[in-house]
């Protein structure tokens, strides 16, 4: 049965494109797209109506940040706002006239910054830079004023920063978005291809009139027929999955304090679970078009229900329950718990059991699947 499947794979180019070419292109695309880790030198503007040495120093300090680059200076807020609407800049800092004089006179001047959240990542990063530069600017003037009045450095430090923040970012101290996103997007796309190819390989047996001969070759044993058909695909997808994991954890050196054993286990489950889900869907709906459409929809929804972009715990209760029906959610939870944060596998045992359950789902539809292969007639 496995040799028969190998002959089919060899003679059908679409298998190689969907099992090897497209997953590798996806892997290279996403990891190279975010190879810098964070967006850098995002364009910002300045509306400086004060035009003093203090305001010019604020501009230079903002330009010195890694994620911000001052590309233009505007004479009015409306002009800078138009530039944001034209997508020429992502944010701008507004320094009104008399800002420095008010600071020196301790009259608490107001400076404003405007940023666009059309792109969530750029908006959040520029908000951080603009807020930091505003705070540091006020602190610098306050320090100079208090020094002139005779305060000691200890008194100045206590006044300007009464609470010292000791910040520790666990597992990803660089805030590298490549580490956050590529470890979810690439496996999600690979699982999508696994589901579709699984359904396609079974459905084409029915479509091209090979289903009865397929079952007869397996001695009328549907379990043997499925095992022989899935074995070559499983080996190919395992090679792609482990190749991806070696690339991101071995070559790109993504954090993986959980160790190699958890990586290998997760790679195996991430192949078997979507295969089992695809077989189960086709067993429920022995129609090539309907089952492929269902698997496509389920895989696309998995990106939202995985819990990486928006935490599951913050969703409504029905959606939290629904997330357990998506293999991608369990993959991400096991990766996050055991590999990214190095907690023991016992902390993620429910998610591991869920992936094993997905892999075992075809057992519940074996007889229906066998009946479809023997008696059903393909309807275009």
């Amino acid at each position: 049965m496995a040799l028969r499947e190998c002959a089919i794979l060899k003679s059908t180019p679409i298998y190689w494109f969907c099992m090897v070419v497209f997953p590798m292109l996806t892997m290279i695309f996403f990891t190279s797209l975010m190879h810098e880790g964070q967006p850098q030198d995002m364009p910002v503007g300045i509306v400086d109506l004060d035009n003093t040495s203090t305001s010019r120093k604020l501009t230079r300090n903002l330009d010195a940040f890694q994620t911000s680059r001052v590309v233009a200076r505007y004479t009015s807020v409306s002009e800078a706002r138009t530039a944001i609407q034209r997508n020429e800049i992502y944010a701008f800092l507004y320094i009104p006239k008399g800002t420095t004089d008010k600071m020196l006179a301790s009259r608490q001047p107001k400076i404003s910054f405007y940023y666009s959240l059309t792109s969530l990542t750029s908006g959040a990063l520029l908000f951080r830079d603009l807020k930091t530069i505003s705070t540091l600017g006020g602190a610098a003037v306050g320090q100079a004023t208090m020094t002139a009045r005779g305060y000691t450095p200890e008194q100045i430090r206590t006044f300007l920063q009464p609470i010292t923040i000791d910040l520790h970012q666990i597992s990803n101290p660089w805030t590298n978005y490549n580490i956050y996103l590529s470890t979810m997007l690439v496996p999600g796309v690979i699982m999508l291809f696994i589901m579709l190819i699984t359904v396609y390989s079974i459905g084409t047996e029915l479509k091209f009139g090979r289903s009865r001969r397929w079952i007869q070759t397996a001695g009328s044993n549907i379990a043997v027929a499925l095992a022989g058909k899935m074995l070559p695909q499983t080996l190919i997808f395992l090679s792609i999955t482990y190749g991806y994991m070696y690339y991101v954890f071995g070559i790109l050196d993504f954090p993986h304090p959980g160790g190699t054993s958890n990586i290998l286990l997760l790679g195996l489950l991430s192949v078997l679970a979507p295969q089992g889900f695809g077989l189960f869907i086709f067993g429920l709906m022995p129609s090539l078009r309907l089952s492929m459409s269902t698997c496509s929809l389920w895989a696309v929804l998995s990106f939202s229900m995985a819990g990486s972009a928006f935490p599951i715990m913050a969703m409504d209760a029905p959606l939290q329950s629904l997330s357990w029906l998506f293999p991608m959610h369990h993959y991400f939870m096991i990766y996050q718990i055991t590999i990214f944060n190095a907690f023991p596998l016992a902390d993620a045992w429910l998610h591991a059991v869920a992936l094993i359950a997905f892999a075992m789902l075809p057992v519940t539809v074996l007889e229906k699947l066998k009946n479809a292969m023997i008696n059903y007639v393909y309807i275009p």
Side-chain angles (χ1 to χ4, degrees):
M1 295 303 302
L3 291 176
R4 174 184 180 275
E5 182 65 17
C6 288
I8 295 175
L9 296 179
K10 183 179 179 181
S11 61
T12 311
I14 191 172
Y15 282 109
W16 292 104
F17 278 101
C18 294
M19 296 171 71
V20 179
V21 178
F22 292 151
M24 292 184 67
L25 289 177
T26 300
M27 184 192 319
I28 296 172
F29 173 76
F30 281 113
T31 54
S32 61
L33 179 68
M34 299 175 285
H35 71 282
E36 295 291 343
Q38 278 191 7
Q40 297 182 5
D41 292 333
M42 290 181 289
V44 298
I46 296 291
V47 180
D48 184 6
L49 302 184
D50 196 37
N51 197 24
T52 62
S53 60
T54 301
S55 63
R56 289 192 292 270
K57 184 177 180 181
L58 288 177
T59 301
R60 290 193 298 271
N61 289 340
L62 178 62
D63 193 39
F65 284 147
Q66 186 177 11
T67 53
S68 303
R69 180 165 61 92
V70 177
V71 297
R73 288 169 173 79
Y74 303 98
T75 58
S76 66
V77 171
S78 59
E79 186 179 346
R81 177 183 174 182
T82 302
I84 286 185
Q85 293 172 337
R86 291 176 177 172
N87 207 32
E88 296 172 357
I89 57 175
Y90 291 148
F92 68 89
L93 179 66
Y94 170 54
I95 305 174
K97 188 175 182 180
T99 297
T100 303
D101 293 338
K102 289 181 179 179
M103 282 194 295
L104 294 175
S106 300
R107 283 186 285 170
Q108 197 176 15
K110 293 182 179 179
I111 63 174
S112 306
F113 51 84
Y114 299 81
Y115 59 99
S116 172
L117 271 177
T118 303
S119 172
L120 183 61
T121 301
S122 64
L125 293 175
L126 289 177
F127 168 76
R128 181 193 65 186
D129 286 357
L130 291 167
K131 185 176 181 180
T132 300
I133 202 65
S134 302
T135 304
L136 292 179
V141 174
Q143 182 180 16
T145 304
M146 294 174 72
T147 300
R149 292 179 179 178
Y151 287 91
T152 65
E154 182 66 26
Q155 290 174 320
I156 295 174
R157 185 164 55 250
T158 303
F159 181 80
L160 294 178
Q161 191 177 19
I163 298 176
T164 302
I165 299 175
D166 189 13
L167 178 63
H168 299 275
Q169 294 183 208
I170 299 175
S171 301
N172 187 5
W174 318 277
T175 316
N176 189 324
Y177 284 86
N178 199 7
I179 294 173
Y180 286 134
L181 297 178
S182 293
T183 51
M184 185 274 293
L185 292 174
V186 177
V189 173
I190 293 176
M191 293 173 79
L192 167 63
F193 282 122
I194 292 174
M195 289 184 188
L196 293 179
I197 286 298
T198 299
V199 171
Y200 178 80
S201 64
I202 302 296
T204 50
E205 296 285 353
L206 193 62
K207 178 179 180 180
F208 298 127
R210 305 191 304 249
S211 57
R212 292 184 180 87
R213 184 183 302 174
W214 173 47
I215 299 299
Q216 291 172 1
T217 306
S220 297
N221 190 325
I222 185 63
V224 173
L226 289 177
K229 177 169 280 292
M230 291 295 104
L231 180 59
Q233 296 182 26
T234 302
L235 294 177
I236 293 173
F237 278 122
L238 277 176
S239 300
I240 294 296
T241 301
Y242 285 142
Y244 152 76
M245 290 181 166
Y246 174 76
Y247 175 60
V248 295
F249 296 124
I251 298 177
L252 299 183
D253 199 25
F254 283 11
H256 54 286
T260 305
S261 59
N262 288 330
I263 293 176
L264 294 176
L265 175 62
L266 184 57
L268 177 63
L269 293 177
S270 68
V271 172
L272 297 181
Q275 280 186 331
F277 183 82
L279 291 173
F280 175 72
I281 292 299
F282 190 85
L284 289 180
M285 299 171 287
S287 166
L288 182 58
R289 285 185 300 172
L290 186 58
S291 55
M292 288 192 71
S293 298
T294 303
C295 286
S296 299
L297 175 63
W298 213 253
V300 170
L301 289 177
S302 296
F303 292 101
S304 299
M305 302 302 294
S308 60
F310 192 84
I312 297 296
M313 65 183 69
M315 297 181 182
D316 293 336
L319 292 178
Q320 293 185 30
S321 302
L322 185 64
S323 67
W324 284 79
L325 301 180
F326 295 85
M328 185 60 195
H329 165 64
H330 304 290
Y331 170 91
F332 180 73
M333 293 305 296
I334 295 175
Y335 161 74
Q336 176 183 267
I337 294 171
T338 65
I339 299 175
F340 191 66
N341 290 312
F343 292 116
L345 185 61
D347 290 353
W349 72 272
L350 275 175
H351 300 286
V353 170
L355 288 182
I356 295 173
F358 277 111
M360 298 298 294
L361 277 177
V363 175
T364 62
V365 293
L366 285 180
E367 290 303 319
K368 185 175 181 180
L369 190 57
K370 179 179 179 180
N371 180 59
M373 292 296 105
I374 295 175
N375 300 316
Y376 281 25
V377 176
Y378 176 78
I379 300 177

